[in-house]
Amino acid sequence: MIGDWLDIGSVNQITPGNARTLPVRGGEEIAIFRTLGGEFHALVNRCPHKHGPLSQGIVHGGVVTCPLHNWNISLKTGEALGEDKGCVPVIPLKIDAGRIFLLRSAVMGQLAA
Amino acid sequence: MEFQTRDDVSTGNEEDLFVPSDDVREHLVVVGNGMAGCRAVEELLARDGARYRVTIFGAEPHVNYNRIMLSPVLAGEKTFEDIIINNQQWYDDNGIELIVADPITAIDRTAKTVRSESGRTVSYDRLLIATGSDPFIIPVPGKDLPGVISFRDMRDVDTMLAAADAGAPDGEQGRAVVIGGGLLGLEAAHGLTLRGMKVTILHIMPTLMERQLDEAAGWLLKTALEDRGQTILTGADTAEIFGQGKVEGVRLKDGTLIPATLVVMAVGIRPSVALAREAGLDIGRGIKVDDHMVTSDPAVLAVGECVEHEGNVYGLVAPLWDMCRSLADGLTDQHSGYKGSVTSTKLKVAGLDVFSAGDFSGGEGCEDIVLRDASRGVYKRVVVKDDRVIGAVLYGDTADGGWYFDLLKRQENVADIRDFLIFGQSFASGGGALDPKAAVAALSDDAEICGCNGVSKGQVVACIEKGACSLDAVRGTCKASASCGSCTGLVETILALTLGEDVQSGPKTMCKCTSFGHDDVRREIVAQGMTSIPEVMQKLHWATPDGCSSCRPALNYYLLCALPGEYVDDQQSRFVNERMHANIQKDGTYSVVPRMWGGLTNPRELRAIADVVEKYDAPMVKVTGGQRLDIFGIKKEDLPAVWADLNAAGMVSGHAYGKSLRTVKTCVGSEWCRFGTQDSTGLGVKTERMTWGSWMPHKFKIAVSGCPRNCAEATIKDFGVVCVDSGYELHVGGNGGIHVRVTDLLCKVATEQEALDYCAAFTQLYREEARYLERTAPWIERVGVDYVKARIVEDDVGREALRARFLYSQSFSQDDPWAERAAGEHAELHQHIAEVRPMETV
C-alpha cells in the first residue's frame, strides 16, 4: 500500500557518494545516502558516538565515516564497525520508478522516541 | 696493469696471456657476479679478508644486484639502484677485480686458466663456478622471434618496460602473454599489469604455482588475480608463437589465438652447466659438489643454482646462503660442511600472501589439518606425519609460516599441540591471548627471518645488540628486511623484543585498501600519468571498490598536486570541512573564518563580520591563534548566505578548515615597533597573497616576526621568517601542536624577494614530497633538514624550478571557494532534500 511509504523525491537529487538530509519536525533528522556503487540507504543523521551529522561524512563502499571522530557506520545495518560499538536507527528505503520512498512508520516512529 | 684492456685483445690469439701480478696470494677466480658468487666472496671476506686475491667475472654489464628484486623493479616499486647489493666501492674497498660484460667461455683445468669471451686469459689457484641457471625456453615455433623473452636479468626488464610503454600498434594498451604460472611468471604478469599492459597468463597445469601450493590455495590465488584484471588460462598448452618479423601472438594447441606484442617465457630454470661440462667436471642435473662445494676437481668449487648436492638442485635463495657459508668455511680451513637445505617459500604475489614449506603432497600415514575462512580469504593446511610437521601451505595469512617451518626443520613432536596446531603459534603454545611478540620470542635463533638475504633471527638479534636500533639500521647492517620487505613486521618485533621499547617503524601501507605506501602511490601517479581516483585504484589494484575515508582524501590531494589546472577535484573525497569550506563543530554547526591578510583589518570588514554575527545569530566570535576572527554556530543551510555577505565586504575564505595554507601571522614590525628591523607586516601580507588557496598534505602556517624578540612566534611555524638588521632568517618545520617543535634554520637571505622565493620553493617541496597528513615537522625529521637545505639552499636551479611549479599551481588555485558557493554552486550540499511535517495532533 503506497500510503505506507513516503515519497521524498527523485533519485537524481542525490549524486553518487553524497547524502542529503530530511528534517522531521518533532523528530530526528534523517540522512539519505547514495553510494558510489549506486545503492540508496537512510539512517538517522546522528552518529551513535557523539551525535555527529553522518550526512556530512565520506561515503565509501557501504560505509559512512562520521566527520567528527571517524567512526565507521554501516549504511545497511546502522552498526558501528571495527572496534567501536553502537548503532543508529536504519530507516527502510525503497526505490520505485526513479523515486525514493521511506517507510512512513519508521520516519514517524521516531516521534514517539 | 694486470689485464689488457678489451681494445687491445685480438680474440683467439694464444699469446694473449695475462701479465702475472706481484700479488703472491692465492688467486680465487669467480665465474659469475650474481647472488651466489658475490655472497660466497662476502662470506669469505667475513672470515679472512686477506687470504685470497679475488677476481670476479660477470656476463652482465652491472655490479652485483639482487635478482629476486627484478619484480619490484618491473612493477616500478624500486629502481635498479635500489637493488644493487654491492656497489663498485665494495669491490674496490676489498681489492676485488670486477670484470663485467665478459663471460668466461672456457676453463683449462690442466693449465689452471679461464678464458673470457673477449679473449682475456686468467690463471687461477682456485676457481669458483657460480653460473646460476638458465631460463628454460620451450621449443615451440616462433620462440626466437623478437619480443619473446625470459624474465631473468635487467635486460629482460628493460625489454618489458619498453613493450609496456609502446602499447599496441592500434594505440590501445599493449598486450602481453606470460607463459608459465609459477612464481616468476606471476610476478612478471603482475609487473606488466601495473605497467598498464593487458596480460594473459598461460599455465599448462590445472592450478597455479602447483609446486608450492596445493589445489585449494592455487585456486584462491587464481581467483584473486583474475579479480585484479589478469586473464589466466590453465591447462593451456602453447602450440606456437606467431608473427611477421616480430611477435604478434600465441596459438594454443586447442586453436585459441591470443594477440600479444610481448611474450614472456617463465616456465622454469635449469642449472647452467655447459661451461663445467665442457671442462670435464662431473655433472648430474647440476655440477656435482661435496659438502664443501668442491667439484670433482679439488681446485674447482661451485655454488648456487648451478650445483647438485646429494642429488638435490635448488632454485631458491635460502639454500644458497647455506652453501656459501659452507664454502667459505672450507676455503678458510674450517669444516662445517653443507648438509642440504629444507626450503620454504614465503612470498607476496601481487600483494597476496602465500607460504609453503616441505612436502604437502600427502600420502600414506599423513594427516591433513585444514582451516578455511572464506570471508577473510584465508586458507591454511598443515601436513603431519608421525606427530611431526612435514609440510604446510598458507594462503592469505602467512604470519605463522616461520613457526611451522621451524617445527618442520627441528622435527619437533607436535602431539601435545596437535589440536591447536592449525590456529597458529600463539594459540597452540598455550593461551588464547594472541600475542605476536610471544610468537616471535619463541622462534629459535636459527629460524629464518629474511628469506631474500638469508638472515636468521640470531643474526638480527646480534646486529641489534651491536647497536642497530632502528629498522633502517638493521637493514643497513645485516640486510634483513632490506629487499622485498615482507619480513619487516618480524624485524620490528625483534627490535621491540631486543630493545624492550617502541622502535621507529618504516613506511606503512597507505591504508587497508592497498599494499602500496604513500610514496609508492605518489610515484606511480606521476610515472603512469594517472588522472583520476578510480584510475589509481584500478591500476594499483585497490582491494576495496571505492577506497576508504583515509585513502580517498590522500589520493585526491596527490592528483591535485601532480596535475595542477588539469585534475578535477573530487568532492566526495574531501573531508567535510573542505567540502563545506567551513569548520564543523561538535554540535554539527560550522564556524566561518574570513581571511585577514597578514592580520590586518579595517572598519568595513569588522562591520561586515559584526553584521553576520547578528543576522545569523552566531553565538560566539573569537580571535583565533592565527589572529583572525572566527564566527561560530552557523547552520549548514546558512553558509552560502554568510559567505555572500562577507564577500560583499571584500573578504574571502580564510581556509581555516583546510589541509592548506591557513594564515600568515605577523607582528607590527619596523613601521611602528621601536625594535622592529624590517616591515614584517608588509612581508606577511605579500607572503599570504602568494600562498593563499594552496592545498597541502596538511595544514600549513607561516609567520613573520619583525625582530628576534619573535612576537609572531615564527619559530614554531611551518615556515617562519625572523627579520634581522641584515636581512631575513628563514626557519622551517616548526609547529605548536601536540608535539611542539621548534623550527630548523634553513638559511639567511638579504632581500624580501628572496624570502618570498625561498618560501615558494619550500612550500612546493613539501607539497610534492610529504605524505598526506604529514606536517612539515615530522616530514623534516624523516627526510632530514640537510636534504631540505640541499634542495632549497644549495641547488639554485632546483629551487627556481620548485618556485616556478608552485606559482604555476597557484595560478589555478587562488579562486575564492566561498564566491562560487555564494553564487549557487553545489547548492544541494546546503539544502535539505525535503522536510517532514506531521499533522498537528491535538
Side-chain angles (χ1 to χ4, degrees), chain B residues 199-495:
Chain B
V199 179
T200 304
I201 298 167
L202 306 179
H203 194 48
I204 194 158
M205 302 301 288
T207 59
L208 297 177
M209 286 182 69
E210 74 285 349
R211 286 166 66 185
Q212 289 84 18
L213 301 180
D214 63 7
E215 209 172 280
W219 179 81
L220 281 168
L221 181 63
K222 176 170 185 269
T223 314
L225 292 173
E226 283 170 340
D227 283 348
R228 288 167 192 214
Q230 296 177 7
T231 306
I232 299 171
L233 304 178
T234 49
D237 202 354
T238 304
E240 68 161 333
I241 300 169
F242 61 87
Q244 294 289 325
K246 63 179 170 53
V247 163
E248 287 166 21
V250 174
R251 185 174 62 81
L252 301 184
K253 287 199 176 148
D254 68 5
T256 311
L257 291 178
I258 306 155
T261 53
L262 178 76
V263 172
V264 181
M265 283 226 204
V267 291
I269 50 172
R270 52 182 172 195
S272 174
V273 297
L275 183 67
R277 177 176 282 133
E278 198 72 19
L281 295 168
D282 280 1
I283 310 287
R285 281 196 294 152
I287 305 165
K288 288 189 174 175
V289 292
D290 70 8
D291 291 352
H292 290 104
M293 317 314 292
V294 179
T295 66
S296 54
D297 177 341
V300 180
L301 305 110
V303 72
E305 290 180 342
C306 61
V307 308
E308 175 182 324
H309 175 263
E310 301 277 336
N312 292 313
V313 172
Y314 298 95
L316 292 166
V317 284
L320 190 153
W321 308 142
D322 294 340
M323 289 179 197
C324 287
R325 284 190 276 269
S326 304
L327 173 124
D329 285 345
L331 277 176
T332 52
D333 307 324
Q334 302 167 43
H335 296 286
S336 57
Y338 178 63
K339 297 283 178 264
S341 298
V342 187
T343 56
S344 71
T345 316
K346 180 175 182 177
L347 34 104
K348 238 184 166 58
V349 184
L352 305 162
D353 289 314
V354 172
F355 172 89
S356 81
D359 178 10
F360 49 84
S361 53
E364 207 168 321
C366 292
E367 294 173 79
D368 278 333
I369 313 172
V370 175
L371 174 94
R372 287 176 197 267
D373 185 340
S375 63
R376 280 203 303 145
V378 168
Y379 169 80
K380 299 182 181 189
R381 175 167 166 227
V382 177
V383 186
V384 176
K385 189 175 186 182
D386 300 331
D387 289 332
R388 279 161 178 86
V389 173
I390 62 161
V393 180
L394 310 176
Y395 179 91
D397 174 5
T398 56
D400 281 310
W403 180 62
Y404 291 123
F405 188 48
D406 209 33
L407 290 176
L408 188 154
K409 277 199 297 188
R410 288 190 284 135
Q411 283 298 288
E412 200 163 289
N413 189 308
V414 294
D416 291 346
I417 56 170
R418 166 76 174 70
D419 290 350
F420 306 105
L421 194 59
I422 198 71
F423 301 114
Q425 175 173 26
S426 48
F427 210 79
S429 51
L434 294 166
D435 180 5
K437 280 191 180 177
V440 177
L443 285 178
S444 66
D445 266 0
D446 64 350
E448 183 176 89
I449 298 298
C450 174
C452 299
N453 295 295
V455 189
S456 69
K457 180 184 163 195
Q459 288 170 296
V460 176
V461 170
C463 138
I464 296 169
E465 283 170 349
K466 280 186 201 151
C469 48
S470 71
L471 182 64
D472 280 346
V474 170
R475 285 175 171 168
T477 317
C478 68
K479 295 189 177 170
S481 153
S483 295
C484 81
S486 68
C487 63
T488 301
L490 277 176
V491 173
E492 284 174 342
T493 309
I494 297 174
L495 272 161

